[in-house]
Amino acid sequence: MGKGSGYGKVIIFGEHFVVHGVPGIVSATDAKTDAEVKKSEKGLVINDERTGSKGYAEEKKIQQIESIQRMLKAMGMPADTAMSIWIGGNLPGFSGLGASAASSVAIARAISEEFGLKLSDERINEVAYEAEKAYAGNPSGIDNTAATYGGLMWFKKNTAGGPDLVEKITIKNPVEIVIGSTGKVANTKAMVEGVAERKKVNPKKYNPLFERAEEIAVEGRKALEAGDFKKVGALMNENHTLLQGIEVSSKELDLLVGIAIEQGAFGAKLTGGGGGGCMTALTPSEKLQEKVASAIEKEGFQVLRTKIGVKKI
Ligand code: PMV
């Protein structure tokens, strides 16, 4: 049997903008997806036991099968390779936490082990990027990169097709965040396509928002490295306003952001594709993290208490 894992991720700055070459900042979460793969005689069997994956939308199931077929192709394996795949781990199946990329990396690693392919991390990342196309259409690559390598990183997609720019960001101490789930499964592919379409139709409105997103990423990196979390939080709030501007937020996401800020979070924004999915709030200290997390839970939403900038997960 082959085994593998992939990290979940939370985008601190720049989702959607990264698809168009604006830099973004992403951190792996300390929650992971695990996979086990076993050769079999009976075609493809998937046993998905991830928490929160109950009622995993039919649409996502179709995307999951397509992603595995894309992965096999990228690995040079026959599309009808028979195997049974188990997926589990402690990363909740909330939309927006890179669950699809984490599972692709975990499955790619498990296939590599089971079939003796000995793929390097670089190849695993490439294979997972191909798999991500099934979920995101035109992905930036930020999710699979975070899922493969972990840690806190600066990511800039090479829109000309060459290698992306990936740099490790170091912060003095890991910092607490809260992730709140709207409970709504979001379709990242449709969200990414929507932004591209609206940007094309309305460049006057969209271009300044993209320019500011780039400045926010640059300022956010400096503030993170300096340990200035008040500033990081303020920039996250502004990033959320930009995301509202490109029409990817929702009533529930705005509600979660509002609760987090009211409870004293330094900043809060949607994270990931939006349109549902998750919100993340910066809550330095366990006390503040607990205050924000329990207030969100009281309103009936699920939360994940985690940290960004953990060196070794
Ligand atoms: O919703 P998620 O976890 O798949 O995150 C998507 C992030 C986007 O920036 C919207 C798309 C991408 O490929 O970067």
Side-chain angles (χ1 to χ4, degrees):
M1 184 200 297
K3 291 185 179 187
S5 296
Y7 299 105
K9 68 97 197 24
V10 53
I11 298 181
I12 314 297
F13 294 110
E15 48 276 279
H16 283 290
F17 301 104
V18 284
V19 173
H20 303 267
V22 171
I25 296 178
V26 63
S27 176
T29 62
D30 51 6
K32 285 186 302 171
T33 294
D34 303 317
E36 291 176 4
V37 167
K38 213 170 170 344
K39 287 178 195 162
S40 83
E41 317 270 285
K42 297 181 290 212
L44 179 64
V45 178
I46 303 171
N47 178 15
D48 195 338
E49 287 185 357
R50 285 176 290 176
T51 46
S53 72
K54 229 188 226 163
Y56 201 60
E58 201 51 40
E59 193 175 290
K60 289 262 175 184
K61 267 190 206 137
I62 293 166
Q63 292 177 345
Q64 186 178 51
I65 291 167
E66 186 193 330
S67 78
I68 292 166
Q69 282 161 349
R70 283 178 171 275
M71 237 188 276
L72 289 171
K73 191 166 174 217
M75 290 172 165
M77 290 177 60
D80 59 352
T81 302
M83 57 188 168
S84 58
I85 301 178
W86 170 85
I87 313 170
N90 58 358
L91 178 70
F94 303 161
S95 278
L97 290 192
S100 61
S103 71
S104 297
V105 167
I107 294 168
R109 284 187 167 136
I111 293 177
S112 171
E113 192 174 294
E114 174 70 352
F115 291 87
L117 306 178
K118 295 197 167 67
L119 299 184
S120 63
D121 278 351
E122 201 183 336
R123 282 288 296 132
I124 293 287
N125 194 21
E126 283 167 9
V127 166
Y129 177 71
E130 284 308 311
E132 269 295 277
K133 289 182 183 168
Y135 295 101
N138 171 29
S140 64
I142 195 168
D143 280 22
N144 46 280
T145 305
T148 302
Y149 298 106
L152 180 63
M153 59 177 81
W154 173 262
F155 179 92
K156 187 171 174 19
K157 180 186 168 105
N158 186 334
T159 46
D164 303 319
L165 176 67
V166 181
E167 288 172 355
K168 204 168 152 20
I169 298 178
T170 310
I171 57 174
K172 270 193 214 108
N173 293 309
V175 58
E176 290 80 7
I177 61 165
V178 172
I179 292 164
S181 171
T182 61
K184 289 205 167 154
V185 178
N187 182 339
T188 305
K189 191 171 172 179
M191 298 305 292
V192 168
E193 283 168 2
V195 172
E197 231 170 81
R198 292 190 294 276
K199 184 175 187 286
K200 213 159 113 193
V201 173
N202 199 350
K204 255 207 191 121
K205 177 185 171 197
Y206 274 62
N207 290 348
L209 300 176
F210 275 67
E211 280 158 25
R212 184 61 195 143
E214 174 136 18
E215 290 165 2
I216 286 178
V218 172
E219 290 170 29
R221 179 176 183 167
K222 280 192 198 138
L224 274 168
E225 286 172 337
D228 183 352
F229 294 121
K230 285 273 181 220
K231 174 91 183 171
V232 175
L235 291 166
M236 285 171 70
N237 290 340
E238 197 187 341
N239 195 162
H240 185 68
T241 307
L242 295 185
L243 289 161
Q244 288 173 319
I246 62 168
E247 297 162 65
V248 293
S249 192
S250 69
K251 201 167 74 229
E252 294 84 0
L253 284 165
D254 292 345
L255 173 71
L256 291 179
V257 165
I259 298 171
I261 297 297
E262 209 179 272
Q263 295 298 319
F266 285 25
K269 57 182 273 295
L270 74 86
T271 187
C278 288
M279 177 273 333
T280 185
L282 186 68
T283 53
S285 90
E286 272 176 25
K287 201 169 151 212
L288 182 56
Q289 182 185 46
E290 193 45 47
K291 186 163 182 255
V292 171
S294 49
I296 292 173
E297 280 174 334
K298 228 188 245 154
E299 295 299 319
F301 297 97
Q302 281 184 292
V303 302
L304 179 69
R305 297 158 175 85
T306 185
K307 283 182 182 177
I308 57 166
V310 178
K311 278 191 192 81
K312 204 154 170 39
I313 294 170

